[in-house]
Amino acid sequence: PYLYGAAYGVTYYAENMTIQYPTGMPTYVAPVDVYATARSMGRYSPINLNYNLTWIFSVDSGFSYLFRLHFCEIQTNITKVNQVVFDIFLYNQTAEHGMDVIAWASVETGGASQLYGVPVYRDYVVLIPNGSPQQDVWLALHPNLYGKPTFSDVILNGVEIFKVNDS
């Protein structure tokens, strides 16, 4: 219900794959089921370049929110750096430019030979200013073509939103 627009993307499921948590990442960060499913734009590049894969979350004003985004490449044909690269936008700001799940998995594993099926997550904090009682926070992903990646696609396995209360 949080997906926005007519282009809802494509759901992928890990098939015949074991999710391999990197050393130092506790398995309680997120269950295997989070990493074994994903939403992406699909493989049709001309369409993907014309929209963002977007979610909208209604949150209370006047608080900071920690957005934890979970990633794990589960398509077995995505195995190398620069095959899928995308930008992450949160609350109309660039949160990450040039996100590459395989590259991040390589860093987390110290350059392991198999990088698909390796989960990673990143945390972003967004301050929602005072205003109306609730505001919409848009999370949008868009293909980044700067480094000429193989595919014009994005991927997200899961998102958690934590409301941070200073009191």
Side-chain angles (χ1 to χ4, degrees), residues 40-109:
S40 107
M41 296 177 115
R43 293 282 180 231
Y44 197 61
S45 294
I47 291 176
N48 295 354
L49 296 175
N50 291 314
Y51 79 97
N52 295 333
L53 190 56
T54 304
W55 293 261
I56 301 175
F57 305 101
S58 187
V59 299
D60 296 330
S61 297
F63 293 92
S64 292
Y65 290 85
L66 175 94
F67 284 77
R68 176 166 286 171
L69 306 184
H70 297 273
F71 303 96
C72 182
E73 188 53 71
I74 57 174
Q75 297 180 78
T76 55
N77 64 324
I78 309 296
T79 60
K80 299 176 186 156
V81 171
N82 203 42
Q83 285 186 293
V84 174
V85 181
F86 55 95
D87 296 332
I88 302 169
F89 304 98
L90 262 170
Y91 199 58
N92 297 325
Q93 298 178 23
T94 303
E96 192 77 40
H97 182 70
M99 163 57 171
D100 185 330
V101 176
I102 294 292
W104 280 3
S106 178
V107 169
E108 292 296 322
T109 62

Side-chain angles (χ1 to χ4, degrees), residues 59-67 91 124-130 135 137 160-167:
V59 299
D60 296 330
S61 297
F63 293 92
S64 292
Y65 290 85
L66 175 94
F67 284 77
Y91 199 58
Y124 305 95
V125 176
V126 177
L127 172 62
I128 307 301
N130 287 321
Q135 295 185 41
V137 174
E160 295 178 272
I161 304 170
F162 302 92
K163 183 177 182 181
V164 180
N165 187 345
D166 289 336
S167 64

Side-chain angles (χ1 to χ4, degrees), residues 121-142:
Y121 69 92
R122 291 296 184 263
D123 294 337
Y124 305 95
V125 176
V126 177
L127 172 62
I128 307 301
N130 287 321
S132 59
Q134 290 203 312
Q135 295 185 41
D136 288 339
V137 174
W138 293 48
L139 166 61
L141 309 177
H142 186 77

Side-chain angles (χ1 to χ4, degrees), residues 137-159:
V137 174
W138 293 48
L139 166 61
L141 309 177
H142 186 77
N144 178 313
L145 300 182
Y146 182 75
K148 298 182 181 171
T150 308
F151 304 105
S152 299
D153 201 0
V154 304
I155 184 173
L156 181 65
N157 299 77
V159 59

